[in-house]
Amino acid sequence: MMTTLLILGGLVLLAGGGEVLVRGAVGAARAVGVSPLLSGLVLVGFGTSTPELVTSLLAALRDSPGIAVGNVLGSNIANILLILGVTAAISPVMIRPSVIRRDMIALGLSSVLLLAAVIAGFVDFYFGLVLILALMGYIGLAYVRERNRAGEAGAVKARDWTGFGKNLLLTVAGIALTVFGARLLVDGAVELAEGLGVSETVIGLTVVAVGTSLPELVACVVAAMRRHSEVAVGNVIGSNVYNALGILGVTAMVSPIRIPPEVIRLDIWVLLGATALLAVFLRTGGGLKRLEGAAFLAAYAAYVGFLATGGV
């Protein structure tokens, strides 16, 4: 009975929190004259990565580098293949290539830095600092260019700081609801899986891994259904950039991380391939159609299936 209540409670909080989160993020963007895309990148993308941040920090402090690094790589892979796949399958995600070019470049560069960290086999305080500075530079550049673009279009308007404050609180409340809802759902699902005799490996690869990405999933689905594709795409790009630069950077500055050698055999290449495929779809098709979303889901299922059956 308790397991059922945990799962149902988690689903309710996720659905309600996702709606509140998207409403707050879009409202905050309008109040200060920036695009929903930038709002998705910063408020939604970074905010919904809170579970990953907490998980990696705790893992590093407990000397579990595999969890800390695997959390970043696994979440980024799930964000692209699973979350955008589900979102596109429900409602096609359409966005102009010119709007997303800058942010896809940032996503590509953050993935290259992640590859460099994996090849080096170690992320220390100074490498972590470089990652954090790169993240801060990206956020600053994104904001300045958004404001300049609005100025060139004659769209600069007086900033409604009162409205921004209210919508920011709404956004924070939405993030809190989705994170707490994800926690309840994961706890309930783990109890259910253990009760059914499912192995810890399968639980970790499915329930726990996907559970930390549930806030992103809910935010993307709600955004797409409300025809805010910029928020959905910005959420995934922002979350992946934040995971690679922010989470890994902060974690390494708190406690240096050893990169597990097995990561370079498969996971990093899956992430780079998924990122490249996303760039191709957004560049050539102006977004993700249902068929492309289904292809992403099939690729993610194959990846998880390979790991679950004792792959690399």
Coordinates of all heavy atoms in Angstrom, one line a residue, residues 224-264:
A224 N 6.4 21.0 -24.5 CA 6.0 20.7 -25.9 C 4.5 20.7 -26.1 O 4.0 21.2 -27.1 CB 6.5 19.3 -26.2
M225 N 3.7 20.2 -25.1 CA 2.3 20.1 -25.2 C 1.7 21.5 -25.1 O 0.6 21.8 -25.7 CB 1.7 19.3 -24.1 CG 2.0 17.8 -24.2 SD 1.4 16.8 -22.9 CE -0.4 16.9 -23.2
R226 N 2.4 22.5 -24.5 CA 1.9 23.9 -24.4 C 2.5 24.7 -25.6 O 2.4 25.9 -25.6 CB 2.3 24.5 -23.1 CG 1.5 23.9 -21.9 CD 2.0 24.5 -20.6 NE 1.8 25.9 -20.6 CZ 0.7 26.5 -20.2 NH1 -0.4 25.8 -19.9 NH2 0.6 27.8 -20.2
R227 N 3.1 24.0 -26.6 CA 3.7 24.6 -27.8 C 4.8 25.6 -27.4 O 5.0 26.6 -28.1 CB 2.6 25.4 -28.5 CG 1.5 24.5 -29.0 CD 2.0 23.5 -30.1 NE 0.9 22.7 -30.7 CZ 0.4 21.6 -30.2 NH1 1.0 21.0 -29.1 NH2 -0.5 20.9 -30.8
H228 N 5.6 25.2 -26.4 CA 6.8 26.0 -26.0 C 8.0 25.1 -26.3 O 8.7 24.7 -25.4 CB 6.8 26.4 -24.6 CG 5.7 27.4 -24.2 ND1 5.7 28.7 -24.9 CD2 4.7 27.4 -23.3 CE1 4.6 29.3 -24.3 NE2 4.1 28.6 -23.4
S229 N 8.2 24.8 -27.6 CA 9.3 24.0 -28.0 C 10.7 24.5 -27.6 O 11.6 23.8 -27.3 CB 9.3 23.8 -29.5 OG 8.2 23.0 -29.9
E230 N 10.8 25.9 -27.6 CA 12.1 26.5 -27.2 C 12.4 26.1 -25.7 O 13.6 25.8 -25.4 CB 12.0 28.0 -27.2 CG 11.7 28.5 -28.6 CD 10.2 28.8 -28.8 OE1 9.4 28.2 -28.2 OE2 9.9 29.7 -29.7
V231 N 11.4 26.0 -24.9 CA 11.7 25.6 -23.5 C 12.1 24.2 -23.4 O 13.0 23.8 -22.6 CB 10.4 25.9 -22.6 CG1 10.7 25.4 -21.2 CG2 10.1 27.4 -22.6
A232 N 11.5 23.3 -24.2 CA 11.8 21.9 -24.2 C 13.2 21.6 -24.6 O 14.0 20.9 -24.0 CB 10.8 21.1 -25.1
V233 N 13.6 22.2 -25.8 CA 14.9 22.1 -26.3 C 16.0 22.7 -25.4 O 17.0 22.2 -25.1 CB 15.1 22.6 -27.7 CG1 16.5 22.5 -28.2 CG2 14.1 21.9 -28.7
G234 N 15.6 23.9 -24.9 CA 16.5 24.7 -24.0 C 16.7 23.9 -22.7 O 17.8 23.9 -22.1
N235 N 15.7 23.2 -22.3 CA 15.8 22.4 -21.0 C 16.9 21.3 -21.2 O 17.7 21.2 -20.3 CB 14.4 21.8 -20.7 CG 14.5 20.9 -19.5 OD1 15.3 21.0 -18.6 ND2 13.6 19.9 -19.5
V236 N 16.8 20.6 -22.3 CA 17.8 19.5 -22.5 C 19.2 20.0 -22.7 O 20.2 19.6 -22.1 CB 17.3 18.6 -23.7 CG1 18.5 17.7 -24.1 CG2 16.1 17.8 -23.3
I237 N 19.3 21.1 -23.6 CA 20.7 21.6 -23.8 C 21.2 22.2 -22.5 O 22.4 22.0 -22.2 CB 20.6 22.7 -24.9 CG1 20.2 22.1 -26.2 CG2 22.0 23.4 -25.0 CD1 20.1 23.0 -27.4
G238 N 20.4 23.0 -21.8 CA 20.9 23.6 -20.6 C 21.3 22.6 -19.5 O 22.3 22.7 -18.9
S239 N 20.4 21.5 -19.4 CA 20.7 20.5 -18.5 C 22.0 19.7 -18.8 O 22.9 19.5 -17.9 CB 19.6 19.5 -18.4 OG 19.8 18.4 -17.5
N240 N 22.2 19.4 -20.1 CA 23.4 18.7 -20.5 C 24.7 19.6 -20.3 O 25.7 19.1 -19.9 CB 23.3 18.2 -21.9 CG 22.5 16.9 -22.0 OD1 21.7 16.6 -21.2 ND2 22.7 16.2 -23.1
V241 N 24.6 20.8 -20.7 CA 25.8 21.7 -20.5 C 26.1 21.9 -19.0 O 27.2 21.8 -18.6 CB 25.5 23.1 -21.1 CG1 26.6 24.1 -20.7 CG2 25.4 23.0 -22.6
Y242 N 25.0 22.0 -18.2 CA 25.2 22.2 -16.8 C 25.8 20.9 -16.1 O 26.6 20.9 -15.3 CB 23.9 22.5 -16.1 CG 23.9 22.7 -14.6 CD1 24.6 23.7 -14.0 CD2 23.3 21.8 -13.8 CE1 24.7 23.9 -12.7 CE2 23.3 21.9 -12.4 CZ 24.1 23.0 -11.8 OH 24.1 23.1 -10.5
N243 N 25.3 19.7 -16.6 CA 25.8 18.5 -16.1 C 27.3 18.3 -16.4 O 28.1 18.0 -15.5 CB 25.1 17.3 -16.7 CG 23.7 17.1 -16.2 OD1 23.3 17.7 -15.2 ND2 22.9 16.3 -16.8
A244 N 27.7 18.6 -17.6 CA 29.1 18.4 -18.0 C 30.0 19.4 -17.4 O 31.1 19.1 -17.0 CB 29.2 18.5 -19.6
L245 N 29.6 20.7 -17.4 CA 30.5 21.8 -16.9 C 30.2 22.1 -15.4 O 31.1 22.1 -14.6 CB 30.2 23.0 -17.7 CG 30.5 22.9 -19.2 CD1 30.3 24.3 -19.8 CD2 31.9 22.4 -19.5
G246 N 28.9 22.2 -15.0 CA 28.6 22.6 -13.6 C 28.7 21.5 -12.6 O 29.4 21.6 -11.6
I247 N 28.0 20.4 -12.9 CA 28.0 19.3 -11.9 C 29.4 18.7 -11.8 O 29.9 18.5 -10.7 CB 26.9 18.3 -12.3 CG1 25.6 18.9 -12.1 CG2 27.1 17.0 -11.4 CD1 24.4 17.9 -12.4
L248 N 30.0 18.4 -12.9 CA 31.3 17.8 -12.8 C 32.3 18.7 -12.3 O 33.2 18.4 -11.5 CB 31.8 17.3 -14.2 CG 32.9 16.3 -14.3 CD1 32.6 15.0 -13.6 CD2 33.3 16.0 -15.7
G249 N 32.2 20.0 -12.6 CA 33.1 21.0 -12.1 C 33.0 21.2 -10.6 O 34.0 21.2 -9.9
V250 N 31.8 21.4 -10.1 CA 31.6 21.6 -8.7 C 32.0 20.4 -7.9 O 32.7 20.5 -6.9 CB 30.1 21.9 -8.4 CG1 29.8 21.8 -6.9 CG2 29.7 23.3 -8.9
T251 N 31.7 19.2 -8.4 CA 32.0 18.0 -7.7 C 33.5 17.8 -7.6 O 34.1 17.4 -6.6 CB 31.4 16.8 -8.5 OG1 30.0 16.9 -8.6 CG2 31.7 15.5 -7.7
A252 N 34.3 18.1 -8.7 CA 35.7 17.9 -8.8 C 36.4 19.0 -7.8 O 37.4 18.7 -7.2 CB 36.2 18.1 -10.2
M253 N 35.8 20.2 -7.7 CA 36.4 21.2 -6.8 C 36.2 20.8 -5.3 O 37.0 21.2 -4.5 CB 35.7 22.5 -7.1 CG 36.2 23.1 -8.5 SD 35.4 24.7 -8.8 CE 36.3 25.8 -7.6
V254 N 35.1 20.1 -5.1 CA 34.8 19.6 -3.7 C 35.7 18.4 -3.4 O 36.3 18.3 -2.3 CB 33.4 19.3 -3.5 CG1 33.1 18.6 -2.1 CG2 32.5 20.5 -3.6
S255 N 35.7 17.4 -4.3 CA 36.5 16.2 -4.2 C 37.0 15.7 -5.5 O 36.1 15.4 -6.4 CB 35.6 15.1 -3.5 OG 36.3 13.9 -3.3
P256 N 38.3 15.7 -5.8 CA 38.8 15.2 -7.1 C 38.2 13.9 -7.5 O 38.0 13.0 -6.6 CB 40.3 15.2 -6.9 CG 40.6 16.2 -5.8 CD 39.4 16.1 -4.9
I257 N 38.0 13.7 -8.8 CA 37.3 12.5 -9.3 C 38.2 11.7 -10.2 O 38.8 12.2 -11.1 CB 36.0 12.9 -10.1 CG1 35.1 13.8 -9.3 CG2 35.3 11.6 -10.5 CD1 34.0 14.4 -10.1
R258 N 38.3 10.4 -9.9 CA 38.9 9.4 -10.8 C 37.9 8.9 -11.8 O 36.8 8.5 -11.4 CB 39.5 8.3 -10.0 CG 40.7 8.6 -9.1 CD 41.2 7.4 -8.3 NE 40.2 7.1 -7.2 CZ 39.4 6.1 -7.3 NH1 39.3 5.3 -8.4 NH2 38.5 5.8 -6.3
I259 N 38.2 9.0 -13.1 CA 37.3 8.5 -14.1 C 37.4 7.0 -14.3 O 38.5 6.5 -14.6 CB 37.6 9.2 -15.4 CG1 37.6 10.7 -15.3 CG2 36.5 8.8 -16.5 CD1 36.3 11.4 -14.9
P260 N 36.4 6.3 -14.1 CA 36.5 4.8 -14.3 C 36.9 4.5 -15.7 O 36.3 5.1 -16.7 CB 35.0 4.3 -14.0 CG 34.4 5.4 -13.1 CD 35.0 6.7 -13.6
P261 N 37.8 3.6 -15.9 CA 38.3 3.3 -17.3 C 37.3 2.8 -18.2 O 37.4 3.0 -19.5 CB 39.5 2.3 -17.0 CG 39.2 1.7 -15.7 CD 38.5 2.8 -14.9
E262 N 36.3 2.1 -17.7 CA 35.3 1.4 -18.6 C 34.4 2.5 -19.3 O 33.8 2.2 -20.3 CB 34.4 0.5 -17.8 CG 33.6 1.1 -16.7 CD 34.4 1.0 -15.3 OE1 35.6 0.9 -15.4 OE2 33.7 1.1 -14.3
V263 N 34.4 3.7 -18.8 CA 33.6 4.7 -19.4 C 34.0 5.1 -20.8 O 33.1 5.3 -21.7 CB 33.6 6.0 -18.5 CG1 33.0 7.2 -19.3 CG2 32.9 5.8 -17.2
I264 N 35.3 5.0 -21.1 CA 35.8 5.3 -22.4 C 35.5 4.3 -23.4 O 35.6 4.5 -24.7 CB 37.3 5.6 -22.4 CG1 37.7 6.5 -23.6 CG2 38.1 4.3 -22.3 CD1 39.1 7.0 -23.5

